[in-house]
Amino acid sequence: MANNYTVLHLHSMDSNPKSGLTVDSVTPFQDYINKAKECGMTSLAFTEHGSVLHNISKKQMCEKNGIKYIHGQEFYVTEKIDKKNLVRDNYHCILLAKNKDGVRELNYLSSIANNRDDGHYYYTPRIELKDVLNTSENILILTACCAGILCRGSSEAKEQFLTFIINNKDRCWLEIQPHCFDMQIKYNQYLYDISKEYNIKLVATSDVHAVSEDHMMGRKIMQVSKGTVFHDEDECDLIWHDYDGIIAAFEKQKALPKDVYMPAIEETNHIADLIEDYKLDYSNKYPRFDNAEEEFKKRINNGVIEHGLNKLDNYTTDYLPRIKEEFETYKHNDAIDFMLLDSDYKNWMRDHGMYYGPSRGSVSGSLIAYLIHSTDVDSVKYDLNFQRFMNPER
């Protein structure tokens, strides 16, 4: 892919909630997608710290703009969890989902990382090194920044991780970055030596934390306000780069020759090509009831009798047509099972002496919701509009 590269290591504001007391970014994810489109990029990865926040919205917006969404996360990795002796090592490692099965696997790891009962969550959400080593072929792995395992890990952790990379070189990459501080320069050279010795591919990223200079300044102001200081960060190049910009950044760093970092930049496109597109599942996920329509009708009829609506003078003129309209709308929108589920737990609460409130929002306009005890509001009596809650057009 001429004159293009794929951003594979990127942090938006969605990294902030999971990165301890730090401020990783002040850039909304939408700004990055707009910038990628402006640069003519065809793929984009999001690798938030410790989370996959807004992954659905990110994929939707990417697709709307003709960009392939790459599902990823920068995980915090601890060598081993010992609940009696928790250690805050928290090395960084980038995992990317190769396909839909990889998305599920990555999301599972992200979920267990947030378990506060078994030692996974300690200051930040974490997984163990063995979790990384046990990933399937559906996960692609980048070694991340100078906070990564090969840079900061113990000798044992480095050995285990490097052995894994050597044995899985088809889905693992050594990640070089263009920051101009001494540790990064030496780390890039170390990774290059490993690459030559074991024939492992290098990939170039810039660890993006800001879409512009203004956002970078905003990030710094927020960090100062929180008393956050990162060693050598003033020499880090964390701003979004286009193709020419990433080349210029490595030229300025002077850590590696051009015939090394140029193929590493191109490798980002190769990784993007390995990512298989997948479709979002928009089907409803709530439980299904046996004979849902019959059960729905039964509860509605019981509600009519319980509330005495059938004895009202306007039952046939106002209430009955409304019930029929709402029923057909729920059926059309595949919402009958959902309403039964809501009715079940509301009725369970009533049976156990728990009061859940009379109603909330536009559902107050639903007469059927009143009849099945999802609300306590007679929408016909108070002349409320059902269409605001649900209609056949949406």
Side-chain angles (χ1 to χ4, degrees):
M1 187 178 298
N3 298 330
N4 196 9
Y5 88 108
T6 301
V7 176
L8 294 175
H9 189 154
L10 179 148
H11 300 280
S12 74
M13 292 169 63
D14 289 342
S15 282
N16 298 341
K18 299 298 185 179
S19 56
L21 299 176
T22 66
V23 177
D24 272 305
S25 178
V26 299
T27 302
F29 72 82
Q30 295 90 339
D31 289 8
Y32 287 124
I33 297 173
N34 290 333
K35 179 60 73 171
K37 183 178 181 181
E38 178 186 317
C39 293
M41 295 179 178
T42 56
S43 301
L44 180 65
F46 284 91
T47 56
E48 311 294 359
H49 275 304
S51 83
V52 288
L53 288 172
H54 291 118
N55 66 92
I56 300 298
S57 296
K58 288 168 181 172
K59 179 172 171 60
Q60 289 172 329
M61 185 174 178
C62 280
E63 291 177 345
K64 185 178 179 180
N65 286 277
I67 296 169
K68 179 194 286 186
Y69 166 76
I70 300 175
H71 189 68
Q73 180 175 313
E74 184 164 21
F75 280 84
Y76 296 102
V77 181
T78 183
E79 292 187 29
K80 185 177 181 180
I81 293 175
D82 180 354
K83 287 188 65 175
K84 296 181 179 179
N85 184 29
L86 292 173
V87 178
R88 193 180 180 184
D89 39 12
N90 296 0
Y91 310 127
H92 296 186
C93 185
I94 297 286
L95 303 187
L96 304 175
K98 183 179 180 181
N99 47 39
K100 192 166 187 176
D101 287 338
V103 171
R104 296 189 183 98
E105 183 175 348
L106 191 151
N107 288 353
Y108 171 75
L109 292 173
S110 185
S111 180
I112 65 172
N114 283 276
N115 191 324
R116 295 172 182 261
D117 297 325
D118 64 1
H120 271 86
Y121 192 103
Y122 185 60
Y123 289 91
T124 55
R126 314 177 303 168
I127 57 176
E128 291 184 275
L129 177 56
K130 70 177 183 180
D131 294 321
V132 177
L133 305 185
N134 287 330
T135 54
S136 75
E137 296 291 327
N138 300 312
I139 298 293
L140 309 182
I141 298 174
L142 280 58
T143 54
C145 55
C146 286
I149 301 165
L150 292 182
C151 187
R152 285 186 51 225
S154 67
S155 57
E156 181 180 357
K158 289 179 180 177
E159 181 179 355
Q160 288 182 19
F161 192 40
L162 181 56
T163 300
F164 170 81
I165 292 171
I166 293 170
N167 292 331
N168 294 272
K169 61 181 66 176
D170 60 319
R171 64 183 183 98
C172 295
W173 286 261
L174 304 173
E175 185 175 346
I176 59 172
Q177 299 183 353
H179 315 304
C180 290
F181 60 93
D182 188 58
M183 180 181 291
Q184 182 69 65
I185 292 172
K186 291 180 179 178
Y187 186 46
N188 280 1
Q189 293 167 346
Y190 165 68
L191 294 176
Y192 178 41
D193 289 339
I194 293 176
S195 173
K196 290 187 293 183
E197 182 175 357
Y198 298 106
N199 191 30
I200 303 170
K201 297 180 292 290
L202 295 173
V203 65
T205 75
S206 60
D207 199 354
V208 181
H209 284 70
V211 76
S212 65
E213 291 279 0
D214 287 344
H215 282 217
M216 196 66 197
M217 179 58 69
R219 177 179 182 269
K220 185 171 184 178
I221 291 170
M222 291 295 292
Q223 287 183 343
V224 170
S225 72
K226 288 179 171 289
T228 302
V229 177
F230 289 108
H231 180 64
D232 290 326
E233 189 166 273
D234 287 341
E235 296 178 84
C236 286
D237 188 358
L238 303 176
I239 298 175
W240 175 280
H241 287 303
D242 59 12
Y243 180 75
D244 292 334
I246 193 74
I247 293 173
F250 277 100
E251 287 178 349
K252 178 182 177 182
Q253 186 191 52
K254 301 184 187 302
L256 299 169
K258 188 171 184 177
D259 63 357
V260 173
Y261 64 73
M262 287 299 291
I265 293 172
E266 178 59 30
E267 189 64 23
T268 64
N269 299 321
H270 172 65
I271 292 175
D273 289 340
L274 291 175
I275 304 295
E276 301 170 17
D277 197 13
Y278 64 94
K279 300 298 182 183
L280 292 173
D281 181 3
Y282 288 100
S283 64
N284 298 323
K285 304 302 186 297
Y286 39 80
R288 296 295 178 173
F289 287 72
D290 293 333
N291 303 314
E293 283 192 36
E294 288 76 7
E295 177 63 23
F296 200 39
K297 290 177 182 178
K298 177 182 176 182
R299 295 190 194 189
I300 293 168
N301 290 331
N302 288 341
V304 167
I305 296 171
E306 181 181 351
H307 291 290
L309 301 186
N310 56 325
K311 298 179 181 180
L312 299 177
D313 293 338
N314 63 339
Y315 174 68
T316 57
T317 57
D318 295 334
Y319 283 92
L320 192 57
R322 178 67 165 266
I323 291 171
K324 291 179 179 179
E325 175 200 352
E326 290 191 15
F327 182 90
E328 291 303 320
T329 301
Y330 283 123
K331 181 178 178 180
H332 174 82
N333 288 336
D334 189 29
I336 289 178
D337 294 271
F338 173 78
M339 293 302 293
L340 288 173
L341 176 65
D342 187 81
S343 173
D344 272 357
Y345 69 75
K346 293 285 181 59
N347 280 293
W348 183 91
M349 292 173 70
R350 292 172 72 248
D351 292 342
H352 288 78
M354 303 178 190
Y355 189 61
Y356 48 82
S359 185
R360 178 185 180 276
S362 61
V363 69
S364 304
S366 172
L367 177 62
I368 285 180
Y370 169 63
L371 297 177
I372 64 175
H373 292 299
S374 285
T375 74
D376 288 338
V377 180
D378 181 339
S379 59
V380 172
K381 178 180 179 180
Y382 294 104
D383 194 24
L384 299 178
N385 187 353
F386 172 68
Q387 299 290 325
R388 285 192 61 210
F389 176 59
M390 189 177 295
N391 60 67
E393 286 72 38
R394 61 178 176 88

